[in-house]
Amino acid sequence: MNRVGRTRQVYFVEEYIPTEHHSAYLEYHCFDGTQIVAVRPRLPRDWDEPRRTAALAQLLDVMVRLNHIVRPILWFYSPAMFAFARHLEASAVVYDCMDELANFRFAPPGLKDLEAELMQRADLVLTGGASLYAARRDRHDNIHAFPSGVDIAHFATVRGGIAPAADVAALPGKKLGFYGVIDERIDLNLLAEVAHARPDWSLIMVGPLVKIGHADLPSAPNLHFIGQRHYDELPAYLAGWDVALMPFAINEATRFISPTKTPEYLAAGLPVVSTPIADVVAGYAGLAAVQIAGTPAQFIAACETALALKPIDYLPDVDDKLKAMSWDESFRRIDALLSDAVQREHRILPAPPIRRPGRAKAYDYVIVGAGFAGSVLAERLAAGSGKRVLLCDRRNHVGGNAFDHYDAAGILVHKYGPHIFHTNSDDIVDYLSRFTAWRPYEHRVLAAVGELRVPMPINRTTLNALYDADLCDEASAQAFLQARAEPVDPIRTSRDVVVNQVGTALYRTFFEGYTRKQWGLDPSELDKSVTARVPTRTSTDDRYFLDRFQAMPLHGYTAMFENILDHDNIDLQLGVDFKDLPADTLAAHTIFTGPIDEYFGHRFGPLPYRSLAFRHETLDQRRFQPVAVVNFTDEAVPYTRITEYKHLTGQVHRKTSISYETPQADGDPYYPIPRPENAALYKRYAALAQEHPEVSFVGRLATYRYYNMDQVVGQALATYRRLAEPQLSRGPAVSA
């Protein structure tokens, strides 16, 4: 806050102080060298909660009016303060969540409800550590973890040999100390046992008693509770200690704490002994200077180990750790997030204008379909070969099924379901990067199994959750799966693939119902390729894809397509069917990316496809589900998955938009149905296409094959290379 106050006017509203005065009033306290003003409300002691809340709201309004404050940034350290400040208009709302306050002793009733309301209102949420972040990351779209920072220069004075505090220096033996609030989070029994077992040590506890009294404290000749000390005095106390302690109890109040004293102790050059607080274990267990111990006996042994350490052996690693933990670095990051939150007004980037046809001269190519295949070929022919191209699509937009747009709430959604870009091809990334910047994104999917939400594809985490197992490594997970696998030979169908790998039970849990919904057929009726695409893992890697490059177009797919097609040699006809184009607009060569059977008037009968229906909704909440996609494997649930789009796009918005995806037999063609008779029918159309060298058939629908987006781009680029080489221009009409 001191760093914020150097550049911004800050009014720090403290918790109210009971008074014997008959009315409510405010005290103002300024801090030299900053623009920080501490505001201390004073309220009559006998007022009840509703009257206090109303009075605080009124006092806040007076302060805002008298100081001419307009749309301030509201920064909350506690949801309790939101009760009387929620009505203020703000340029941004920040929730600085440092602890799970509702778990503390004597927490006010309704604190959880207030926090939920604050989380919904907040534009930016900061958490005080990794475990607190993990517990809340599914509840907000702009949440960031900021583990404890440290004023390195302040505490490093200890290393310079400053004189220890007199009351510490006078104590006998090795000195082991703690500073901080002494409340229900401190393991008083642990302190008593350590003091009793090692009477030659002096245990020093610096800090105020909160919610406990002196009568609650253990008593021993070598256990010293010396009260609160000022922040400026702390280095002198550290200078008198041999080991710094963090004797926290393991309870609900400490479940999410990320003690600021850990890096402070280390900056002073002291070794640290801590009970197994989650954030301490996760953040510091690799350092020799930090010993973790659970039981009193282990804690005493850890203290003995710490006392034997030599600073020269552990300080280099400590200093490397502390480099990234300075308050200056934390402030730099928070200031950038704060500025972005203030400036954010649901920004929507305008797309380039679509160029409509108006050309008098003939076209060299007519391309049917403005999805990936058609758009990439249009760009390459126009920009790479100087050809005149007419690109048409029966839909009224570019992008094909990857089309995205801002819905009525201003949220970027994928109209035709989630499209996640991933590839191992550097060439394809390099090509598309001409037209878009990228937002790194690794896709994760959960499967709904009853009340459980487990990772999909199946991995070790899935198995442990589903079977309450304790599979601790890949070998144990592999053995677990092998014990359930049921060998099938030969493997012909999708059912055969899964049962052969993981057995009937997992097949029925994850694949049978989902596949029946997706394809309208039992897995035993589908080609083995359908389920072969979904792996089973023995690791805990929960990424859906493992490609080297995984990212989303920074401003969306449609913006990328608009950039691809922004060329003078390309004209667009949108909302127009190919067969309705005037004859004088046609070209000598056609590139067709639609269904190949449709091009030939279904001469041999229609090729079967599976279609999809989408129900889009906008919800008045920040987050709906923990990941972008949740699959519903139960056949009784009509839809196959729910997608929440802000996970994909990274957009920050007070609302969220989702879609329910339901497969169906009728509608636009999405997925070729992989059955032998369908493959045979396609081969008849492919043979017919060979008789038409004036037409190139490219893309999913034109080649009756499922492709990922990068594969379609690769196919389009390969087709362009063939078209650009005259000696190959009379090659196969259907792209492989």
Side-chain angles (χ1 to χ4, degrees), residues 97-98 126-137 143-148 255-259 278-284:
C97 180
M98 294 293 104
L126 311 174
T127 69
S131 58
L132 202 56
Y133 170 78
R136 280 165 169 72
R137 64 184 173 190
I143 184 169
H144 305 268
F146 281 88
S148 304
R255 183 180 174 191
F256 298 112
I257 64 171
S258 180
D279 277 14
V280 178
V281 173
Y284 300 94

Side-chain angles (χ1 to χ4, degrees), residues 305-371:
T305 299
L307 286 167
L309 290 174
K310 297 179 180 179
I312 193 172
D313 294 330
Y314 63 77
L315 284 181
D317 289 339
V318 164
D319 291 340
D320 283 343
K321 177 75 174 178
L322 294 177
K323 284 178 183 176
M325 300 182 67
S326 74
W327 281 121
D328 288 334
E329 174 61 19
S330 296
F331 171 70
R332 184 193 64 78
R333 293 174 53 207
I334 291 174
D335 191 54
L337 291 169
L338 190 59
S339 296
D340 187 65
V342 170
Q343 295 167 12
R344 186 182 298 112
E345 292 289 346
H346 308 317
R347 288 166 284 195
I348 298 176
L349 293 176
I354 293 177
R355 185 174 291 103
R356 303 293 179 176
R359 191 177 299 280
K361 297 181 180 179
Y363 294 104
D364 298 302
Y365 287 88
V366 168
I367 300 178
V368 182

